[in-house]
Amino acid sequence: MQFESDVSLGSFNTLGVMSRAEYFCRVNSDADWLAALDYAKTRSLPVTILGGGSNVVLGSALVGLVVHPVGNGIDLIEQTDGYAVVEVAAGAEWDRVVRHCNERGWFGLENLVSIPGSCGAAPVQNIGAYGVEIAQFVDSVRVLDIHARAFDTIHGQDCGFAYRESHFKGAWRDRYAIVSIRLRLSKTPSVNTRYAALAQALTRDGIDQPSPLDVLNTVAAIRASKLPDVRTMPNAGSFFKNPIVNTDYAKKLLAQHPDMPLYAVDEHRSKLAAAYLIEASGLKGYKHADCGMSDDHALVLVNPGHGSGAECLALADYVIKTVQAKFSVTLDIEPVVMGS
Ligand SMILES: Cc1cc2nc3c(=O)[nH]c(=O)nc-3n(C[C@H](O)[C@H](O)[C@H](O)COP(=O)(O)OP(=O)(O)OC[C@H]3O[C@@H](n4cnc5c(N)ncnc54)[C@H](O)[C@@H]3O)c2cc1C
């Protein structure tokens, strides 16, 4: 295992920000994880974990040791006639795991296909798409306590999963490295087609009894047609979370903006579409320095000129203030800000 210094992170973040890590290593085993902690401890370096870099805004420098998981094992741990428990290493590419499980007849993850990034990061913001969240499948998460230098297992129900949130993104942010995750998947083919855009696409394609593979392929096709490709247009996916507001206030907004999408969360709260608020504030396609809001998808901040993390955040701040002034709703950014 090698430790490198002054490493460019330009190819380690999909937003295309030019950033450098003071020290950098790749980890592939328990021994590597422990060696990384020891290296950092003897030099008093803070530890930062960077997966696929698809949900981060990097500063120009990351001080300390950046640890990049690379293990990609997918192991069947247990199965019955009804379910399979699969353990995947932190470094495994999420999209590959979704397709692998579907091919083996372990179902449930199809709606989450094509989400970029690593399996270790997937529970961090409880990845979700097309009406499904990973929280529904997380049996447990194997972690390394960075300060106690000890491995532990945390059950899915104790991870604090919520909409694009978990304790790993909140109170536990600098405490745990996720080493692997266990997913409990169904061996009975069943699909979730409740998300309107998915149901419409299936109907349009004449698929009235969709299989899990039909759902996987349809979601992949919708995503490919809607989202800018990070290889040609650097971005971090949805840059803002959909805000959750009091339903009384949401209804007031709806009276003023009858075309505004609105989803009930519970008896008292409703979710608004951040993309609608941004577009209605005139910011779809808005350009700022080297970055801008996508011409095609109001929620996606693009960075074709490889602007700095600070430039991207300045644009995000402008979007937040403009939406706040028009709708009195505060948007939160979804990616994690790292470094100076
Ligand atoms: C085009 C595009 C589309 C996207 N679509 C979606 C979507 O539909 N739904 C969705 O939820 N997200 C989406 N995202 C966001 C992103 O893909 C997910 O959040 C993904 O899980 C991030 O994985 P990553 O490996 O790139 O994490 P990174 O960006 O490297 O890291 C994100 C956070 O997780 C932490 N982290 C990473 N690995 C570990 C680990 N092993 N242990 C502990 N902490 C760790 C990092 O420290 C950081 O805080 C999209 C992004 C892009 C670019």
Side-chain angles (χ1 to χ4, degrees):
M1 181 188 174
Q2 274 191 331
F3 292 93
E4 299 166 66
S5 60
D6 193 25
V7 172
S8 167
L9 299 177
S11 59
F12 284 94
N13 74 103
T14 62
L15 193 54
V17 167
M18 292 305 145
S19 172
R20 301 194 81 79
E22 189 182 8
Y23 295 95
F24 182 89
C25 68
R26 294 173 170 82
V27 290
N28 190 17
S29 64
D30 285 3
D32 285 354
W33 279 104
L34 292 173
L37 293 196
D38 292 344
Y39 185 89
K41 191 169 180 198
T42 47
R43 290 162 183 78
S44 302
L45 302 172
V47 172
T48 301
I49 300 160
L50 186 61
S54 63
N55 205 31
V56 288
V57 182
L58 301 182
S60 55
L62 263 63
V63 173
L65 177 63
V66 173
V67 180
H68 178 60
V70 290
N72 61 7
I74 309 175
D75 297 314
L76 178 63
I77 298 299
E78 183 194 337
Q79 66 175 326
T80 66
D81 287 347
Y83 67 85
V85 177
V86 182
E87 177 160 341
V88 289
E93 187 193 354
W94 173 256
D95 180 58
R96 187 172 76 83
V97 169
V98 172
R99 292 170 189 273
H100 177 96
C101 292
N102 177 271
E103 280 162 19
R104 299 286 181 294
W106 308 327
F107 302 117
L109 304 178
E110 293 74 20
N111 300 45
L112 303 177
V113 72
S114 303
I115 297 181
S118 62
C119 289
V124 173
Q125 76 151 2
N126 180 22
I127 55 167
Y130 294 87
V132 170
E133 291 180 340
I134 193 181
Q136 296 162 237
F137 308 100
V138 176
D139 184 74
S140 61
V141 178
R142 184 159 180 266
V143 294
L144 172 59
D145 187 322
I146 292 174
H147 304 294
R149 202 183 174 277
F151 292 97
D152 201 355
T153 297
I154 301 174
H155 291 290
Q157 65 268 25
D158 298 327
C159 293
F161 290 128
Y163 167 63
R164 299 296 185 276
E165 282 297 338
S166 75
H167 293 325
F168 298 108
K169 199 174 179 183
W172 298 344
R173 177 165 167 183
D174 296 318
R175 179 167 173 198
Y176 290 124
I178 296 176
V179 174
S180 62
I181 58 177
R182 282 192 181 189
L183 302 167
R184 182 177 290 262
L185 303 172
S186 172
K187 288 174 73 175
T188 310
S190 66
V191 293
N192 178 337
T193 58
R194 286 190 288 278
Y195 196 85
L198 172 58
Q200 281 156 17
L202 288 164
T203 307
R204 184 203 58 212
D205 294 346
I207 306 172
D208 47 6
Q209 300 277 311
S211 67
L213 183 58
D214 290 328
V215 170
L216 184 153
N217 287 334
T218 306
V219 170
I222 301 174
R223 292 184 67 103
S225 70
K226 276 178 71 175
L227 287 171
D229 185 338
V230 294
R231 288 167 301 186
T232 49
M233 182 56 78
N235 73 86
S238 303
F239 207 85
F240 300 94
K241 295 186 207 174
N242 289 322
I244 294 173
V245 300
N246 178 295
T247 297
D248 290 341
Y249 185 62
K251 283 185 180 155
K252 249 192 218 167
L253 285 180
L254 190 61
Q256 292 158 15
H257 305 274
D259 58 337
M260 183 185 78
L262 189 61
Y263 313 95
V265 173
D266 55 33
E267 219 185 318
H268 303 292
R269 296 177 311 153
S270 299
K271 196 190 278 180
L272 308 178
Y276 175 91
L277 303 178
I278 293 168
E279 187 165 354
S281 300
L283 295 172
K284 186 174 178 181
Y286 177 82
K287 302 286 176 284
H288 165 86
D290 292 315
C291 50
M293 301 311 296
S294 164
D295 294 331
D296 305 316
H297 200 311
L299 205 48
V300 179
L301 189 154
V302 292
N303 190 19
H306 295 274
S308 66
E311 273 176 20
C312 295
L313 291 175
L315 169 58
D317 195 45
Y318 179 73
V319 170
I320 291 169
K321 287 194 172 120
T322 308
V323 168
Q324 171 72 40
K326 186 167 172 72
F327 291 98
S328 298
V329 170
T330 306
L331 296 181
D332 277 335
I333 71 165
E334 190 181 298
V336 177
V337 178
M338 282 181 179
S340 54

